[in-house]
Amino acid sequence: MSFSVSGPAADTAAAAPFPTGWCATDLGRFRPCASTYDVYPLESLPPLDAVRPDDRFDWLGGADGPRSEHEEHLAALARDLAEAGLALPEGFAAFYADERLHRAFDEVSVTACWSHLSGPLRSPVEEGARLVRFLRDQQDCVIWYLYLRPCGEAFVVFSHVELESAGWWADGEPAEEVRAAVAASLMRCADTFEEFAYRFVVENELWMRVNSTGADGPLPARLQSYADHYTPAG
């Protein structure tokens, strides 16, 4: 199934903002979670003004290592996106092209999330936009996508729907109802890929520190700075 939008939905798609939220697990005593994941308001998260993550990933040691196994896939992805008038953000391409960086999410995830790049997926929200899946929970409870707009805007969304497989599970269902349901499942969680990467890595590192044996010791500076935003529960 190919998703496309026409008529009134297409006229309002670009103007209508995505619902927002941050899908993550708990942070120990700093932030509770009712289940494996919860969706937290973006305004409740620690601001990143002092960090300003950029496409060099200096906080992870920089993006200048050997080329990764994703190099050929990224090249094909770039060609396919170019045909649609779109391009990957430099930071996203640099992250997944680096042999060391591209493993960062998989190595740190406490809920067994794993990197899994897709090709360009048509947006169920607006004509001309594409999504690229890059990370998924082990049971597909949540899947993260890079969202690329024709205007050049690129941000991160998440959903419980695997868009690449949406065609076969929706077979026989009314196409417009499926499109609307899939569109409604998307939530914007980060304005840039770099912002998403920083929060994801820091939060998972923080979880491991506060839930490990001997967790009463001092936290590394960047984790302490993040934790300071929250009032410890209890």
Side-chain angles (χ1 to χ4, degrees):
M1 173 182 289
S2 295
F3 292 112
S4 62
V5 185
S6 59
D11 297 335
T12 60
F18 283 84
T20 62
W22 178 253
C23 186
T25 192
D26 72 279
L27 292 177
R29 64 185 182 275
F30 297 106
R31 187 181 70 195
C33 184
S35 186
T36 303
Y37 294 101
D38 208 341
V39 177
Y40 303 93
L42 291 186
E43 59 271 20
S44 73
L45 303 179
L48 300 184
D49 297 342
V51 180
R52 301 185 186 280
D54 58 31
D55 57 15
R56 295 188 303 273
F57 297 97
D58 290 338
W59 55 277
L60 275 177
D64 55 2
R67 309 304 287 176
S68 79
E69 62 192 41
H70 295 298
E71 190 169 20
E72 290 186 9
H73 181 89
L74 289 169
L77 181 56
R79 290 193 296 270
D80 291 344
L81 287 172
E83 292 179 0
L86 301 169
L88 287 174
E90 290 184 7
F92 183 92
F95 183 91
Y96 278 103
D98 187 277
E99 174 61 28
R100 182 176 50 80
L101 289 184
H102 89 279
R103 304 180 189 278
F105 297 153
D106 306 52
E107 291 175 347
V108 79
S109 175
V110 299
T111 53
C113 293
W114 56 291
S115 295
H116 189 201
L117 295 180
S118 72
L121 306 172
R122 290 183 179 274
S123 170
V125 178
E126 55 190 318
E127 189 67 41
R130 298 289 187 273
L131 295 93
V132 177
R133 182 195 62 233
F134 64 90
L135 185 67
R136 63 199 304 168
D137 169 79
Q138 63 170 337
Q139 296 180 326
D140 282 354
C141 297
V142 57
I143 303 167
W144 289 270
Y145 301 88
L146 182 68
Y147 193 101
L148 304 170
R149 275 182 160 155
C151 65
E153 187 181 13
F155 50 91
V156 178
V157 299
F158 69 88
S159 172
H160 64 278
V161 176
E162 167 52 277
L163 278 86
E164 194 169 26
S165 304
W168 66 260
W169 63 252
D171 188 36
E173 299 294 329
E176 180 56 27
E177 291 183 15
V178 172
R179 185 207 63 78
V182 174
S185 76
L186 299 176
M187 294 189 72
R188 181 170 177 155
C189 62
D191 291 339
T192 66
F193 174 75
E194 294 79 12
E195 177 185 321
F196 172 86
Y198 187 86
R199 285 200 192 280
F200 187 89
V201 171
V202 168
E203 288 205 356
N204 280 273
E205 287 181 342
L206 182 55
W207 188 99
M208 286 188 284
R209 289 298 295 258
V210 300
N211 286 285
S212 63
T213 303
D216 293 334
L219 294 170
R222 75 178 180 187
L223 303 189
Q224 187 63 61
S225 176
Y226 202 90
D228 283 345
H229 176 76
Y230 297 98
T231 301

